[in-house]
Amino acid sequence: MKIIAATKNKNKLREFGEILKGFEIISQEEAGIDIDVEETGTTFEENSRLKAEAIFKAAGIPAIADDSGLCVDALDGAPGVYSARYGGEGLDDEGRVQLLLKNMENVPDEKRTARFVCVITMVSSGGVITAKGECEGVINHAPKGENGFGYDPVFYMKEYGKTTAEMSPDEKNAVSHRGKALKIFEEKVKGL
Ligand code: ITT
């Protein structure tokens, strides 16, 4: 099954390919679709659907979108749906991690709990399929690890004794919010 990935995030695209082995995933670039979808929703579900619908309309083949983010308990769920835009346009992944650490500098260890959330939506002529995955961890005091992207260097998983940036791609995909959501998505597609 050929699906267009409704994302401009190259790391998500790579993880889609690593996890969804039974599908032919093509990028927006490969499909010649150069549109930016405005994420006007206030939930992962809304934004995920907005992206998938817009790309399906433009491409005419099934489109799969991922809206995801990091929800930190001590920050009342921030950065949440605004994870990619935390601190404004001028920051890169590293700048956003530093801002997060600064905003949490007075938060004690036992209150540094957080989760990654991912909502996958596929829109096709057959309708809409959604799947959600979550992954629990704590926010470390300093970045560690070179793999992954975004907030991975500070997202520490006690069970594994490492941050998601210290995990290999296979290790991360087996436990991550995206890995879980895409597995549920696959099961739903198989069940059709
Ligand atoms: P698209 O909308 O084009 O898919 P985006 O990066 O803007 O790309 P989102 O709006 O869903 O996507 O924002 C997701 C952000 O959440 C992402 O940029 C990271 O900062 C963070 N994030 C999501 N999944 C992550 C992961 O697996 N590891 C680390 N950070 C992650």
Side-chain angles (χ1 to χ4, degrees), residues 31-108:
I33 307 288
D34 186 21
I35 55 173
D36 276 315
V37 184
E38 226 191 311
E39 296 185 29
T40 51
T42 54
T43 62
F44 295 111
E45 283 80 0
E46 280 177 87
N47 284 336
S48 182
R49 186 164 175 155
L50 279 173
K51 290 187 266 192
E53 265 173 355
I55 301 303
F56 170 62
K57 274 191 193 138
I61 59 168
I64 186 173
D66 163 316
D67 200 63
S68 48
L70 176 69
C71 302
V72 178
D73 292 322
L75 302 177
D76 294 326
V81 292
Y82 305 105
S83 292
R85 295 167 268 172
Y86 194 44
E89 295 283 320
L91 295 185
D92 58 7
D93 275 358
E94 208 181 315
R96 283 185 281 274
V97 164
Q98 289 305 330
L99 176 65
L100 176 70
L101 291 178
K102 189 169 180 301
N103 289 342
M104 292 183 69
E105 67 194 355
N106 297 320
V107 179

Side-chain angles (χ1 to χ4, degrees), residues 7-9 12 39 51 68 149 152 172 177-178:
T7 180
K8 290 202 158 174
N9 181 321
K12 284 186 184 177
E39 296 185 29
K51 290 187 266 192
S68 48
F149 67 100
D152 281 328
K172 179 185 167 187
H177 51 317
R178 183 163 301 104

Side-chain angles (χ1 to χ4, degrees), residues 11-21 66 133-135 147-149 152 157 160 163-184 186:
N11 288 294
K12 284 186 184 177
L13 188 65
R14 173 180 50 76
E15 292 188 356
F16 277 11
E18 289 163 0
I19 300 162
L20 288 178
K21 298 263 199 289
D66 163 316
E134 297 193 0
C135 171
N147 300 332
F149 67 100
D152 281 328
M157 297 188 75
Y160 305 98
T163 67
T164 40
E166 293 179 285
M167 293 181 177
S168 68
D170 281 352
E171 281 176 317
K172 179 185 167 187
N173 294 335
V175 299
S176 77
H177 51 317
R178 183 163 301 104
K180 288 178 184 169
L182 287 172
K183 294 273 151 50
I184 295 169
E186 264 187 318

